């Protein structure tokens, strides 16, 4: 959601900002609706003043016994009442038209976001670790002997269709251990507050974080109107929906491990093998709600939090600043972490850490009261994967693979697996 006052005062700058995302100029349409809305409001207020004046004169005319004037004024009051009701309804319609338009527009990017059309124009800003050299040809996760017995795509397809999987045995335990490790690491080392949230939300929550109205096809809706969350960003961010909190409550930093659901609309033919792209998956999500002055530092902090998980798991990665054409519509800047997958011989996205500025806060009407007093201000919101559990499982399996199809597991996971250090070629932990 955008500040209408900013658009009134900076229409050309607003259009230029949206053009970086490939959007057409829209300020003239916005301002035309806004002007019509404001004119109707002013006309209604003028008519209300005239009605009030005539109402006072009605009593005076009756007291004087001037029946003609009394009837004229009564008719005028009734006429003005009807005019006001009509103009207020028209103003309401214009307000809804304006809000509907604003809700469909993407966020304005920060100046340091590189221009570009797609992922090929993203800019590397950091790298950690050296991809392991193998004395055999590494394979993808689903081709490992130790994984095949515990990662059943046929069972997933039988139960639910394509892009579903059933995990069992040692593979399932590693997946669970990863989620527990991530949560513990964030709580104990990063000071995040662990949360357990619903995975079904009301429609206005999806509007609050920006999935609706434009990207509904990417998510699933139940027959009674709930939406399945694509990530806990939706639930954690909306904890302040409609609230005005004290400045002293900031920052609010959360981590939640949830099931996530995405339709993967537009992904036909992409990553059809393995569990890289699923309709149902698990993720540990980080969300921060902060003072606007702390927004920049918080983005760097959250990026570092996600990087720390990968380093603790001994997984090589690179950090990318996404270009304008590759970013989510609701974000002002996004850092992607891409983990090395030797089976694919490439880096693949495992986390996106983004700052929305006040874009989501305006949609949610989430504000804070400044400690020194004054008008409430919009909070800033940030979110990031810390990390996607399934994709981390893939990275652990592929980077730790051995020639016999077994997997040597990262040291950080050993306590979560009761001292087990290897997934053997039979699919058992030992």
């Amino acid at each position: 959601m955008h500040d209408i006052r900013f658009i009134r005062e900076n229409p050309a700058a607003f259009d230029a900002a949206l053009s970086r995302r490939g959007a057409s100029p829209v300020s003239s349409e916005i301002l035309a609706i806004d002007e019509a809305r404001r004119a109707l409001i002013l006309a209604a207020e003028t008519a209300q003043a005239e009605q009030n004046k005539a109402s006072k004169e009605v009593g005076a005319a009756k007291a004087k016994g001037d029946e003609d004037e009394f009837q004229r004024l009564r008719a005028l009051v009734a006429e003005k009442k009807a005019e006001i009701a009509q103009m207020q309804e028209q103003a309401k319609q214009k307000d809804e038209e304006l809000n509907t338009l604003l809700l469909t527009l993407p966020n304005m990017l920060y100046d340091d976001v590189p221009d570009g059309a797609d992922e090929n124009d993203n800019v590397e800003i950091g790298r950690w670790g050296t991809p392991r050299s193998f004395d055999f040809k590494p394979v993808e996760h689903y081709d490992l002997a130790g994984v095949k017995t515990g990662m059943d795509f046929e069972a997933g397809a039988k139960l639910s269709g394509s892009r579903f999987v059933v995990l069992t045995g040692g593979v399932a335990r590693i997946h669970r251990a990863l989620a527990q490790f991530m949560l513990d690491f964030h709580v104990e080392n990063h000071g995040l507050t662990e949360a357990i949230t619903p995975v079904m939300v009301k429609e206005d929550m999806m509007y609050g974080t920006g999935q609706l109205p434009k990207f509904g096809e990417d998510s699933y809706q139940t027959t009674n109107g709930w939406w399945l969350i694509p990530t806990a960003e939706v639930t954690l961010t909306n904890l302040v929906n409609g609230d005005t909190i004290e400045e002293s409550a900031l920052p609010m930093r959360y981590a939640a491990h949830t099931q996530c659901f995405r339709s993967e609309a537009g992904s036909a033919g992409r990553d059809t093998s393995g569990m890289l792209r699923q309709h149902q998956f698990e993720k540990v999500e980080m969300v921060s709600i902060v003072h606007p002055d702390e927004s920049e530092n918080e983005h760097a902090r959250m990026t570092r939090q996600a990087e720390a998980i990968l380093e603790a798991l001994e997984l090589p990665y690179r950090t990318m600043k996404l270009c304008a054409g590759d970013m989510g519509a609701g974000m002002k800047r996004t850092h992607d972490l891409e983990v090395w997958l030797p089976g694919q011989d490439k880096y693949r996205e495992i986390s996106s850490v983004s700052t929305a500025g006040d874009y989501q806060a305006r949609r949610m009407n989430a504000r804070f009261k400044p400690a020194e007093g004054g008008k409430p201000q919009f909070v800033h919101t940030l979110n990031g994967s810390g990390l996607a559990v399934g994709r981390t499982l893939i990275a652990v399996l592929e980077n730790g693979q051995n020639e016999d199809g077994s997997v040597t597991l990262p040291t950080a996971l050993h306590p979560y697996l009761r001292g087990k250090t290897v997934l053997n070629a039979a699919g058992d932990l030992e």
Side-chain angles (χ1 to χ4, degrees):
M1 195 78 166
H2 295 282
D3 183 356
I4 187 63
R5 288 174 297 180
F6 176 85
I7 302 172
R8 288 177 195 145
E9 296 168 6
N10 307 276
F14 183 72
D15 283 339
L18 294 190
S19 72
R20 295 190 63 200
R21 290 182 174 271
S24 302
V26 73
S27 65
S28 58
E29 182 181 357
I30 292 171
L31 294 178
I33 299 170
D34 181 51
E35 184 177 345
R37 179 184 66 91
R38 296 170 78 189
L40 286 164
I41 292 171
L42 178 59
E45 290 172 348
T46 301
Q48 183 70 64
E50 293 172 353
Q51 180 188 357
N52 293 342
K53 180 174 179 291
S55 294
K56 292 178 182 178
E57 293 174 350
V58 166
K62 187 173 182 65
K64 290 179 182 179
D66 189 340
E67 185 63 23
D68 290 343
E69 182 66 2
F70 173 73
Q71 292 299 334
R72 185 188 73 81
L73 289 170
R74 280 189 64 187
L76 179 61
V77 169
E79 178 185 335
K80 291 300 177 183
K81 184 178 180 179
E83 284 182 13
I84 292 165
Q86 182 181 26
M87 287 185 288
Q88 287 176 337
E89 179 60 29
Q90 291 173 338
K92 180 182 177 182
Q93 292 173 0
K94 286 296 179 184
D95 191 55
E96 292 173 352
E97 184 181 353
L98 178 62
N99 283 333
T100 298
L101 177 55
L102 291 175
L103 283 170
T104 65
L105 299 177
N107 205 345
M108 292 188 293
L109 305 171
Y110 281 131
D111 291 341
D112 66 312
V113 171
D115 289 322
D118 53 36
E119 61 185 17
N120 296 314
D121 296 317
N122 296 339
V123 177
E124 183 175 330
I125 58 175
R127 185 179 288 229
W128 183 90
T130 302
R132 173 184 162 197
S133 294
F134 293 84
D135 54 10
F136 61 92
K137 181 175 175 57
V139 299
E140 294 198 52
H141 59 286
Y142 52 85
D143 280 331
L144 286 164
V147 173
K148 288 181 177 180
T149 58
M151 188 176 288
D152 193 336
F153 296 100
E154 289 186 6
K158 179 175 73 172
L159 294 172
S160 305
S162 62
R163 296 196 188 276
F164 289 92
V165 66
V166 173
L167 303 182
T168 58
V171 175
R173 288 188 64 187
I174 297 168
H175 187 275
R176 173 163 54 88
L178 282 167
Q180 292 176 323
F181 163 72
M182 292 173 193
L183 275 177
D184 285 350
F185 199 93
H186 287 310
V187 171
E188 295 169 7
N189 297 321
H190 300 148
L192 306 190
T193 298
E194 183 175 351
I196 298 175
T197 74
V199 296
M200 295 189 293
V201 295
K202 296 183 289 187
E203 187 161 278
D204 55 343
M205 300 298 108
M206 296 283 278
Y207 274 92
T209 41
Q211 285 75 23
L212 296 178
K214 202 168 183 180
F215 304 103
E217 66 175 9
D218 295 332
S219 296
Y220 295 105
Q221 186 178 26
T222 66
T223 54
N224 62 353
W226 283 323
W227 288 82
L228 300 178
I229 61 170
T231 160
E233 170 201 351
V234 177
T235 46
L236 294 175
T237 308
N238 275 292
L239 288 175
V240 294
N241 190 313
D243 293 344
T244 300
I245 60 179
E246 298 293 335
E247 182 178 343
S248 59
L250 300 174
M252 302 168 70
R253 296 177 173 131
Y254 297 103
H257 168 224
T258 66
Q259 293 280 355
C260 304
F261 305 88
R262 294 183 185 171
S263 68
E264 293 296 345
S267 297
R270 295 176 59 191
D271 301 313
T272 54
S273 298
M275 61 176 292
L276 194 71
R277 194 177 297 274
Q278 300 280 284
H279 291 308
Q280 176 184 330
F281 57 96
E282 295 180 32
K283 185 194 283 192
V284 173
E285 184 75 6
M286 308 177 294
V287 163
S288 289
I289 300 160
V290 303
H291 189 290
D293 293 347
E294 295 301 318
S295 186
E296 283 293 279
N297 290 336
E298 193 68 13
H299 193 208
R301 183 183 194 274
M302 291 180 70
T303 301
R304 186 68 202 121
Q305 289 170 180
E307 291 173 341
I309 297 288
L310 288 168
E311 291 172 19
L313 292 171
E314 308 162 47
L315 297 173
Y317 69 88
R318 64 182 185 180
T319 305
M320 310 292 290
K321 181 183 288 187
L322 298 196
C323 71
D326 198 33
M327 277 185 53
M331 300 300 126
K332 296 182 76 67
R333 183 197 302 116
T334 295
H335 293 157
D336 265 12
L337 306 188
E338 297 180 348
V339 69
W340 177 253
L341 296 184
Q344 294 191 17
D345 195 33
K346 65 173 66 173
Y347 287 96
R348 296 299 303 264
E349 181 213 330
I350 196 168
S351 171
S352 288
V353 184
S354 303
T355 175
D358 65 2
Y359 181 86
Q360 292 177 326
R362 287 182 180 277
R363 300 170 78 97
M364 298 185 298
N365 194 25
R367 306 169 188 253
F368 70 94
K369 298 176 184 176
E372 69 277 9
K375 185 179 179 182
Q377 301 177 33
F378 289 108
V379 298
H380 277 201
T381 61
L382 305 92
N383 65 82
S385 309
L387 306 161
V389 182
R391 291 194 174 198
T392 308
L393 173 66
I394 292 171
V396 165
L397 295 173
E398 292 197 10
N399 281 279
Q401 65 180 284
N402 302 307
E403 190 169 10
D404 65 352
S406 65
V407 177
T408 302
L409 301 170
T411 303
L413 290 185
H414 297 176
Y416 293 87
L417 297 169
R418 299 195 175 186
K420 308 295 185 183
T421 63
V422 173
L423 178 72
N424 67 28
D428 299 318
L429 290 170
E430 60 180 35

